[in-house]
Amino acid sequence: MSARQITLEVLRYRPESESEPVFQSYSVPCQKEWVVLDALNYVKDNLDRTLSFRWSCHMAVCGSCGMVINDNPMLSCKAFLRDLPDHIRVEPLQNFPIERDLMVSLDDFMDKLKSVKPYLIPKQPTADPDGTYKQSSAQLKKFKPFAMCINCMACYSVCPQYGLNDGFAGPAALALAHRYNADSRDQGRRAREDVVASNTGIWECTFVGACSEVCPKNVDPAAAIQQTKIASTVDYFKDLLMPSGRKIAHPEGDTT
Amino acid sequence: MNNAPYIRPMPASWWLRQGRYVRYMIREATCLFVGLHALVLLVGVYRLSQGREAFEAFLEALWSPAGQLISAAILIMAVIHSVTWFNLTPKAMPLWIGEKQAPGWIIVAAHYGGWFVVSVIVLLLAGGLS
Ligand code: SF4
């Protein structure tokens, strides 16, 4: 089978020798069914062993190969060459510090995820003798799409609010908070509200909507955030009208 | 020694980089015209309080070529404002019917319906339909 010659223009940053990133081009003979990640691996195996990038599963599950391809953040394992031109520009995700070549720092993202308490906070232990929390399929459907996130950070890369203010909790973390808030087994909304309903939480979002456009898992963080805004506004007025109800709503299990 | 992780600066022109950001900025900018309309109405009320002559001068200014141009711009921008926001409403308020999420167009259509009803009521109150 004949190979298609593709030019990969890759943004490189070698902190031991460069003070800022520079583009480097590689001419890669590609097979028809390849994705951008295959082309990068070809470079690594045959042309330049020093090129650094993260990847693991090669099947859009692990979320580690997110990068900006021709201005769009996407999973490089899902970016088919047949959908792309002969000249492809590959850059690390925007809005994150570049550690080396296509690898960005994950620290801030991990902190943001942790800050929204992304785990079930039940109000009281289940009364079910087998220790499980039962849920109907209707209840599951309410949050399932928001549980599909693979932490690829594409949504942060395309979010101008995160780019302008890295204090913003950001799309994936807020979508994850909504995933638990919308879970019938969870009572932790009030425990999450200090982060979620703050100025650097949902209220920093101006509904650009780009996060939902680029998400490879159709999580729709923009929808999650707007729905949280409505829930949080209702909470605010409830607190105003019934201030005493507030404390009771805080789950006991929360110690942080 | 290694240099620190590199942080790419975000230029003030970031919103010109992609069509989706330009569209977002246009949607945001339309609110300025909605605000301008509110201002025009306020001036009208103020002129009304100054008496008949002042109010008629205000009306005349509204019907001047410049006034008509501004009103046309406000109308176009207000329509863009409403349409773009209405189109986003299904994300903010999903409608569940049993186990199924209702299609987004129902929510959008409900907003257009509401818009129509309110417009008719306002026109009736203003005597515009008589
Ligand atoms: S919400 Fe989507 S784009 Fe954002 S990190 Fe999760 S999978 Fe990636």
Side-chain angles (χ1 to χ4, degrees):
Chain A
M1 202 164 32
S2 69
R4 175 180 164 207
Q5 210 65 27
I6 294 229
T7 305
L8 276 191
E9 201 188 341
V10 183
L11 192 68
R12 302 213 55 192
Y13 177 56
R14 284 148 291 198
E16 67 281 0
S17 58
E18 285 160 348
S19 57
E20 57 181 45
V22 288
F23 276 105
Q24 183 169 352
S25 286
Y26 302 97
S27 185
V28 187
C30 297
Q31 300 300 324
K32 209 167 68 195
E33 67 281 4
W34 276 13
V35 290
V36 170
L37 180 58
D38 296 320
L40 286 170
N41 273 323
Y42 182 92
V43 174
K44 180 108 179 150
D45 293 343
N46 300 287
L47 306 176
D48 184 351
R49 282 187 303 147
T50 67
L51 182 65
S52 301
F53 51 94
R54 290 194 183 101
W55 70 284
S56 180
C57 74
H58 201 296
M59 49 196 244
V61 170
C62 75
S64 42
C65 70
M67 46 189 83
V68 175
I69 296 167
N70 285 350
D71 283 333
N72 275 308
M74 48 177 100
L75 299 173
S76 59
C77 70
K78 224 183 152 192
F80 283 90
L81 294 179
R82 58 170 177 259
D83 303 325
L84 292 163
D86 288 344
H87 190 112
I88 301 172
R89 214 172 53 250
V90 186
E91 298 168 73
L93 292 172
Q94 286 283 352
N95 301 335
F96 291 100
I98 306 173
E99 284 183 343
R100 172 179 295 277
D101 297 341
L102 298 172
M103 304 193 314
V104 294
S105 167
L106 308 177
D107 299 349
D108 189 50
F109 177 70
M110 299 311 268
D111 290 344
K112 299 279 161 63
L113 282 187
K114 254 189 282 173
S115 73
V116 300
K117 305 186 199 297
Y119 37 83
L120 280 183
I121 305 178
K123 198 170 187 180
Q124 55 211 24
T126 174
D128 209 305
D130 61 9
T132 56
Y133 293 84
K134 298 248 174 353
Q135 190 163 61
S136 70
S137 66
Q139 288 168 327
L140 172 69
K141 279 184 181 158
K142 289 264 161 64
F143 69 84
K144 194 165 176 214
F146 304 111
M148 304 312 283
C149 174
I150 55 170
N151 302 340
C152 72
M153 314 201 300
C155 50
Y156 284 69
S157 175
V158 84
C159 173
Q161 294 301 349
Y162 181 66
L164 293 166
N165 172 13
D166 60 11
F168 177 35
L174 292 170
L176 199 56
H178 181 66
R179 172 252 172 275
Y180 285 98
N181 287 344
D183 190 321
S184 59
R185 300 162 298 178
D186 183 272
Q187 297 288 328
R189 192 160 93 226
R190 297 298 198 155
R192 295 183 190 101
E193 74 179 0
D194 284 350
V195 173
V196 171
S198 69
N199 284 345
T200 50
I202 48 174
W203 301 112
E204 177 74 13
C205 168
T206 52
F207 209 165
V208 180
C211 50
S212 300
E213 286 173 24
V214 301
C215 176
K217 291 295 183 183
N218 297 324
V219 171
D220 207 345
I225 295 174
Q226 309 325 310
Q227 289 167 33
T228 311
K229 281 181 185 170
I230 292 179
S232 158
T233 307
V234 171
D235 282 347
Y236 174 81
F237 282 108
K238 268 193 205 156
D239 289 349
L240 213 64
L241 297 171
M242 296 174 291
S244 56
R246 218 189 120 82
K247 280 209 177 62
I248 302 162
H250 265 293
E252 278 169 23
D254 176 45
T255 50
T256 46
Chain B
M1 210 187 74
N2 279 2
N3 286 312
Y6 186 83
I7 298 170
R8 280 170 290 178
M10 191 157 168
S13 59
W14 63 266
W15 57 278
L16 290 170
R17 245 184 351 218
Q18 287 188 19
R20 57 163 73 98
Y21 298 145
V22 175
R23 283 192 294 280
Y24 157 74
M25 282 305 233
I26 290 173
R27 188 194 79 199
E28 294 295 283
T30 54
C31 75
L32 296 175
F33 288 83
V34 176
L36 181 65
H37 183 55
L39 211 65
V40 171
L41 287 182
L42 274 179
V43 171
V45 173
Y46 175 67
R47 298 295 273 163
L48 189 61
S49 75
Q50 289 178 321
R52 190 191 176 108
E53 245 168 62
F55 189 64
E56 272 169 5
F58 167 75
L59 287 183
E60 211 170 289
L62 270 191
W63 283 105
S64 71
Q68 287 191 31
L69 206 69
I70 292 170
S71 295
I74 287 174
L75 180 66
I76 292 167
M77 291 299 179
V79 169
I80 296 176
H81 188 85
S82 310
V83 168
T84 48
W85 279 111
F86 280 3
N87 289 346
L88 289 173
T89 49
K91 283 193 189 281
M93 39 181 89
L95 185 66
W96 288 87
I97 302 173
E99 285 198 26
K100 284 220 176 83
Q101 202 171 334
W105 66 263
I106 293 183
I107 296 149
V108 178
H111 278 82
Y112 279 105
W115 188 11
F116 178 76
V117 170
V118 172
S119 302
V120 169
I121 291 172
V122 169
L123 282 175
L124 282 175
L125 287 178
L129 290 185
S130 58

